[in-house]
């Protein structure tokens, strides 16, 4: 309890220190400075996920009561059982074992006192957040406590984690590069989860990929496709893609590169209204439709802070958003602006995070974790990655329109328009490849005519 209190106190001190250097004298925000928000976005996202200290990887003693109870039955269930855990966290630890029938499995065991302790931890978090609010009324972080109360019980139910794993495996079965370990239900409970053992290197380990001749750009593209499909098409999003939960490997039999997705305890289910508005917002951002950025940013709760919202989503400056995030590379000047001005907008970031739908909070977290992986691999978002996002948006919006009509003729028209839009994106991607990702004026003019934003 003391160790967890120390972690929460540390987070609170960061929030207090950051807020202490904010300049809140200006009532009106200068959109040209919105590039400064990336560091502020990272700080705010840290607040959004501060309760993740319960699940972050770190070394903990593994001689727990439940571990010892399980150890006494090991000879009945397993041919072998590794004493040293593969990974340990505050909620659970994972061991490698071999069943009597020869199957190699990963055994995830929940620590025995987590269930009882979690309510105390959330109470402590609530007290600290209220203390921050008393000292700095402009900072609204009570939604953080609400999110912890909602999500933590789900993460403590390992059967729920198993169901999520099977759901996402079925949902993305058309991706032959994705591997979700199989769950062994006959040996699983709410506090012990047995699954297929799958080895690999962490997704941010460039040296592992170099040794195994795995293309980091291919991995980055696969991650983008996978998460675009989750968010825009299915509205069911794995919200904890830190490197320990995303492995890469070459398939033992075929040598084909695979992404292994682990730890399915935390998912965000998006409502249809939110998912479609989010699709339209990203379409507007990708194709530089600033009216659409304003419209759908406001529909998602940003209000007059929609420029800040756009910058937080894209991790780009407001100037870059206006010029086109797919056509404007990240520069050292832009990064410098972000570092130098971020703290000025922390009160507005707090206000924005209090406004947007709760679904957006875990999306922010997921975006930040994915960008962290991109940064580690040196694969910043390219025009091609934005086009993959646009493909998913087009598919999602077309599917929604088809559901809303019973007319076969209208459905055929929607399908034709969808196919034509996807063909135009393929053409655009080909042009980018030929031109070395440098757009000429006539190509950009052609794209503006061919690809109006879908509203």
């Amino acid at each position: 309890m003391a160790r967890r209190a120390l972690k929460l106190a540390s987070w609170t001190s960061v929030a207090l220190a950051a807020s202490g250097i904010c300049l809140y004298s200006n009532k009106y925000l200068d959109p040209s400075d919105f590039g400064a928000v990336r560091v502020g976005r990272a700080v705010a996202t840290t607040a959004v996920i501060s309760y993740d200290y319960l699940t972050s990887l770190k070394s903990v003693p593994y001689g727990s009561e439940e571990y010892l109870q399980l150890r006494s039955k090991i000879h009945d269930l397993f041919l072998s059982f590794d004493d040293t855990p593969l990974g340990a966290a505050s909620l659970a630890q994972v061991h490698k074992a071999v069943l009597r029938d020869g199957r190699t499995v990963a055994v995830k065991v929940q620590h025995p006192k987590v269930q009882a302790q979690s309510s105390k931890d959330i109470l402590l978090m609530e007290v600290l957040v209220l203390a921050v609010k008393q000292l700095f009324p402009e900072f609204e972080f009570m939604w953080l406590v609400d999110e912890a109360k909602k999500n933590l019980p789900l993460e403590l139910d390992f059967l729920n984690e198993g169901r999520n794993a099977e759901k996402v495996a079925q949902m993305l079965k058309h991706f032959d590069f994705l591997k979700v370990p199989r769950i062994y239900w006959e040996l699983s409970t709410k506090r012990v989860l047995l699954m297929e053992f799958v080895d690999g290197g962490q997704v941010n380990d460039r040296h592992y990929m170099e040794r195994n001749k795995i293309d980091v750009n291919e991995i980055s593209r696969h991650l983008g496709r996978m998460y675009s499909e989750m968010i825009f098409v299915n509205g069911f999003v794995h919200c904890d893609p830190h490197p320990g939960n995303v492995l890469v490997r070459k398939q033992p039999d075929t040598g084909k590169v695979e992404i292994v997705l682990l730890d399915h305890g935390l998912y965000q289910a998006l409502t249809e209204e939110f998912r479609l508005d989010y699709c339209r917002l990203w379409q507007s951002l990708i194709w530089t439709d600033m009216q659409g950025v304003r419209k759908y940013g406001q529909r998602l709760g940003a209000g007059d802070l929609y420029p800040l919202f756009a910058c937080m989503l894209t991790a780009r400056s407001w100037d870059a958003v206006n010029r086109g995030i797919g056509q404007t590379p990240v520069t050292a000047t832009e990064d410098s602006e972000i570092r130098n001005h971020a703290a000025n907008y922390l009160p507005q970031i707090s206000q924005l995070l209090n406004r947007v739908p709760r679904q957006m909070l875990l999306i922010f977290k997921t975006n930040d974790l994915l960008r962290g992986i991109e940064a580690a691999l040196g694969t910043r978002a390219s025009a091609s990655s934005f086009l993959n996002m646009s493909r998913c948006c087009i598919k999602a919006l077309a599917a929604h329109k088809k559901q809303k009509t019973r007319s076969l003729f209208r459905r055929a028209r929607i399908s034709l328009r969808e196919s034509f839009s996807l063909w135009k994106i393929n053409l655009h991607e080909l042009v980018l490849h030929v031109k070395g990702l440098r757009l000429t004026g006539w190509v950009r003019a052609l794209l503006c005519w061919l690809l109006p934003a879908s509203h």
Side-chain angles (χ1 to χ4, degrees):
M1 181 69 177
R3 182 174 57 188
R4 291 171 179 168
L6 180 60
K7 279 184 171 286
L8 282 171
S10 299
W11 166 79
T12 305
S13 66
V14 170
L16 294 176
S19 61
I21 62 173
C22 286
L23 303 177
Y24 201 54
S25 57
N26 295 328
K27 288 187 176 181
Y28 303 100
L29 298 175
D30 180 1
S32 66
D33 285 340
F34 273 117
V37 302
R38 189 189 300 174
V39 174
R41 173 183 52 79
V43 173
T45 304
T46 300
V48 173
I49 63 170
S50 69
Y51 67 88
D52 269 7
Y53 74 93
L54 292 169
T55 54
S56 60
L57 292 177
K58 60 180 183 292
S59 296
V60 297
Y62 60 88
S64 62
E65 295 175 15
E66 187 152 352
Y67 171 78
L68 294 174
Q69 292 171 7
L70 181 63
R71 192 75 173 84
S72 67
K73 300 180 181 179
I74 282 177
H75 294 296
D76 296 332
L77 294 174
F78 305 104
L79 285 175
S80 66
F81 191 99
D82 290 354
D83 287 347
T84 304
L86 297 169
S90 294
L91 286 185
Q93 58 200 43
V94 179
H95 296 261
K96 182 180 179 182
V98 179
L99 295 174
R100 287 286 175 183
D101 59 9
R103 290 177 293 175
T104 303
V105 296
V107 185
K108 184 173 182 178
V109 185
Q110 189 177 121
H111 298 314
K113 298 180 181 179
V114 167
Q115 294 277 355
Q117 190 67 45
S118 61
S119 59
K120 298 175 184 177
D121 292 333
I122 291 176
L123 178 60
L124 177 59
M125 184 188 297
E126 188 168 6
V127 170
L128 292 173
V129 168
L130 288 172
V132 172
K133 182 173 174 59
Q134 289 296 318
L135 293 171
F136 300 94
E138 67 270 22
F139 286 91
E140 291 284 349
F141 287 137
M142 190 51 66
W143 41 264
L144 169 64
V145 179
D146 296 336
E147 287 297 295
K149 288 179 179 177
K150 180 184 74 174
N151 291 318
L152 189 54
L154 296 176
E155 293 188 80
L156 291 173
D157 182 356
F158 289 175
L159 294 180
N160 178 67
E161 178 177 342
R163 289 189 292 269
N164 287 341
E166 290 194 341
K167 181 174 180 178
V168 80
Q170 177 64 24
M171 189 174 79
L172 302 180
K173 63 182 179 180
H174 54 287
F175 288 149
D176 59 359
F177 59 80
L178 175 62
K179 173 68 176 178
V180 178
R182 177 185 172 189
I183 304 298
Y184 297 124
W185 291 108
E186 69 276 12
L187 297 171
S188 296
T189 69
K190 280 192 171 186
R191 298 175 65 183
V192 178
L193 187 66
L194 264 74
M195 66 203 92
E196 175 186 6
F197 177 80
V198 183
D199 203 0
Q202 291 193 1
V203 71
N204 63 343
D205 188 346
R206 285 184 64 97
H207 297 300
Y208 173 87
M209 295 189 204
E210 290 169 1
R211 288 196 306 270
N212 290 275
K213 298 181 180 179
I214 296 173
D215 184 355
V216 295
N217 292 297
E218 181 183 5
I219 294 299
S220 189
R221 285 194 301 270
H222 285 341
L223 273 177
R225 288 178 61 196
M226 187 171 76
Y227 270 87
S228 291
E229 189 98 0
M230 285 188 202
I231 294 170
F232 299 118
V233 177
N234 296 288
F236 188 67
V237 189
H238 181 284
C239 289
D240 200 14
H242 69 70
N245 289 339
V246 185
L247 306 181
V248 295
R249 69 167 188 168
K250 281 193 172 179
Q251 215 279 338
D253 298 329
T254 65
K256 194 167 186 177
V257 173
E258 286 185 330
I259 291 178
V260 183
L261 194 60
L262 305 174
D263 197 346
H264 301 271
L266 185 60
Y267 272 75
Q268 179 67 68
L270 308 179
T271 65
E272 185 175 80
E273 180 182 8
F274 176 93
R275 180 175 62 85
L276 295 173
D277 282 341
Y278 194 59
C279 280
R280 295 177 180 118
L281 175 60
W282 266 106
Q283 282 286 75
S284 300
L285 288 166
I286 291 167
W287 300 110
T288 325
D289 172 19
M290 301 314 295
Q291 289 185 345
V293 170
R294 178 176 182 174
K295 176 180 178 181
Y296 295 109
Q298 291 179 340
R299 282 183 61 164
L300 286 168
D304 58 342
L305 295 176
Y306 73 90
L308 177 62
F309 187 43
C311 294
M312 290 171 68
L313 285 175
T314 60
R316 300 296 304 274
S317 70
W318 182 238
D319 180 63
V321 171
N322 275 279
R323 287 186 288 127
I325 56 176
Q327 289 81 38
T328 310
V330 180
T331 64
T333 301
E334 184 178 359
D335 279 338
S336 176
E337 176 190 2
I338 289 165
R339 288 193 300 269
N340 293 336
H341 298 285
N344 294 347
Y345 296 105
L346 287 178
Q348 289 84 2
I349 291 171
S350 171
Q351 183 183 357
L352 177 62
L353 292 176
N354 197 48
R355 285 184 185 180
V356 297
R358 302 301 87 183
Q359 301 161 80
M360 182 60 69
L361 301 178
L362 286 178
I363 296 295
F364 275 138
K365 172 196 171 179
T366 303
N367 286 348
D368 271 348
L369 289 172
L370 291 173
R371 289 189 183 111
I373 292 171
E374 286 181 345
L377 296 180
T379 56
R380 298 285 293 262
S382 64
S384 180
S385 66
F386 287 126
L387 293 180
N388 284 329
M389 291 175 66
S390 190
R391 286 187 181 97
C392 286
C393 291
I394 288 170
K395 292 176 183 177
L397 294 171
H400 172 69
K401 291 175 182 176
K402 290 175 189 176
Q403 290 176 352
K404 293 296 182 181
T405 181
R406 295 183 178 180
S407 168
L408 293 178
F409 175 72
R410 291 197 65 185
R411 287 186 179 183
R413 285 185 60 190
I414 293 168
S415 295
L416 184 61
R417 288 179 180 175
E418 177 187 7
S419 298
F420 186 52
S421 295
L422 294 173
W423 174 81
K424 289 184 290 188
I425 288 180
N426 292 337
L427 175 62
H428 179 29
E429 194 165 35
L430 177 62
V431 170
L432 288 178
H433 179 71
V434 171
K435 297 290 183 180
L437 299 182
R438 294 178 61 187
L439 288 177
T440 61
W442 71 267
V443 172
R444 188 170 184 181
L446 176 64
L447 290 171
C448 291
W449 176 73
L450 283 176
L451 290 162
S454 300
H455 291 166

